[in-house]
């Protein structure tokens, strides 16, 4: 039983996913740090920063985390969840999901903008070498080349199904 959705969001994607899950599951969505421990378990949603899920360690210490959702501009691909699990040392008892979020350069603080200007060049160069791109990769290429873009889909159906199956 999931009783709340907790999130950390810098530019809005994790917040948007948290609100979608909150509406579908009829549970509150609250920013990490704001919220007293609810009865029962939570889904934690955090954004990817160099492979790390921002706020995961804090969330795991504070709440009974049933599932973690990593949101990254490259997220949602094959093995995304298992890579996130390995890079963040998430134990097998916690379910991991990986979703693609948006990228909005203009909402970032200056230092992170500088880091991402370089990183985006690398991402775009890698994608341009591929013979064909799937919708997720096309969305990522738009983000990397224009500095702005939404994910291929804002889709939380996999997480909703998993939560409902556990009720
Ligand atoms: C400094 C920095 C590092 C990032 N590292 C990654 C990464 O390792 N993998 C990834 O897929 N996305 C990465 N991103 C992209 C964000 O995770 C992505 O834009 C996410 O949707 C942001 O969520 P938010 O809008 O809730 O803040 C990075 C972004 C920044 C600013």
């Amino acid at each position: 039983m999931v009783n709340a959705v907790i999130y950390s969001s810098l530019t809005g994607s994790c917040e948007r996913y948290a609100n979608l899950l909150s509406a579908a599951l009829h549970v509150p969505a609250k920013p990490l740090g704001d919220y007293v421990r609810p009865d029962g378990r939570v889904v934690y949603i955090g954004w990817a920063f160099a492979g790390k899920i921002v706020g995961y360690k804090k969330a795991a210490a504070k709440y009974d985390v049933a599932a973690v959702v990593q949101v990254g501009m490259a997220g949602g691909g094959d093995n995304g969840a298992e890579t996130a699990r390995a890079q963040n040392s998430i134990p097998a008892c916690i379910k991991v999901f990986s979703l693609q979020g948006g990228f909005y350069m203009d909402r970032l603080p200056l230092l992170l903008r500088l880091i991402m200007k370089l990183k985006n060049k690398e991402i775009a160069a890698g994608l341009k070498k591929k013979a064909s791109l799937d919708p997720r990769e096309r969305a990522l290429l738009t983000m990397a080349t224009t500095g702005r873009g939404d994910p291929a889909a804002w889709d939380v159906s996999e997480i909703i199904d998993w939560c409902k199956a556990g009720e």
Side-chain angles (χ1 to χ4, degrees), residues 34-91:
D34 252 27
Y35 199 43
V36 290
R37 190 186 162 105
D39 289 335
R41 312 193 77 196
V42 308
V43 173
Y44 178 68
I45 307 179
W47 59 284
F49 185 148
K52 293 288 176 201
I53 303 170
V54 172
Y56 164 66
K57 289 266 181 291
K58 195 170 165 191
K62 191 167 178 189
Y63 304 106
D64 183 2
V65 177
V68 177
V69 185
Q70 183 184 53
V71 175
M73 62 197 290
D78 295 343
N79 304 323
E82 282 321 303
T83 304
R85 180 188 293 288
Q87 286 182 331
N88 293 274
S89 307
I90 300 172

Side-chain angles (χ1 to χ4, degrees), residues 8-15 47-51 71-75 101-104 108 112 115-116:
S8 294
S9 189
L10 184 64
T11 63
S13 299
C14 295
E15 183 174 11
W47 59 284
F49 185 148
V71 175
M73 62 197 290
F103 181 75
Y104 314 102
L108 292 175
L112 298 188
I115 294 171
M116 291 312 289

Side-chain angles (χ1 to χ4, degrees), residues 51-152:
K52 293 288 176 201
I53 303 170
V54 172
Y56 164 66
K57 289 266 181 291
K58 195 170 165 191
K62 191 167 178 189
Y63 304 106
D64 183 2
V65 177
V68 177
V69 185
Q70 183 184 53
V71 175
M73 62 197 290
D78 295 343
N79 304 323
E82 282 321 303
T83 304
R85 180 188 293 288
Q87 286 182 331
N88 293 274
S89 307
I90 300 172
C93 58
I94 297 179
K95 177 77 177 167
V96 181
F97 296 94
S98 168
L99 294 180
Q100 187 176 40
F103 181 75
Y104 314 102
M105 188 72 96
D106 55 338
R107 296 182 197 165
L108 292 175
L110 181 63
L111 179 62
L112 298 188
R113 244 186 271 169
L114 295 175
I115 294 171
M116 291 312 289
K117 273 202 170 132
L118 296 175
K119 191 70 197 157
N120 278 350
K121 281 194 182 137
E122 257 176 54
I123 294 170
L127 288 171
K128 281 175 184 164
K129 282 186 200 142
K130 297 189 80 169
S132 66
L133 300 179
D134 63 26
R136 185 186 60 86
E137 291 168 323
R138 278 202 296 279
L140 177 58
L141 182 60
T142 300
M143 295 180 215
T145 50
T146 69
R148 196 172 175 87
D150 289 325

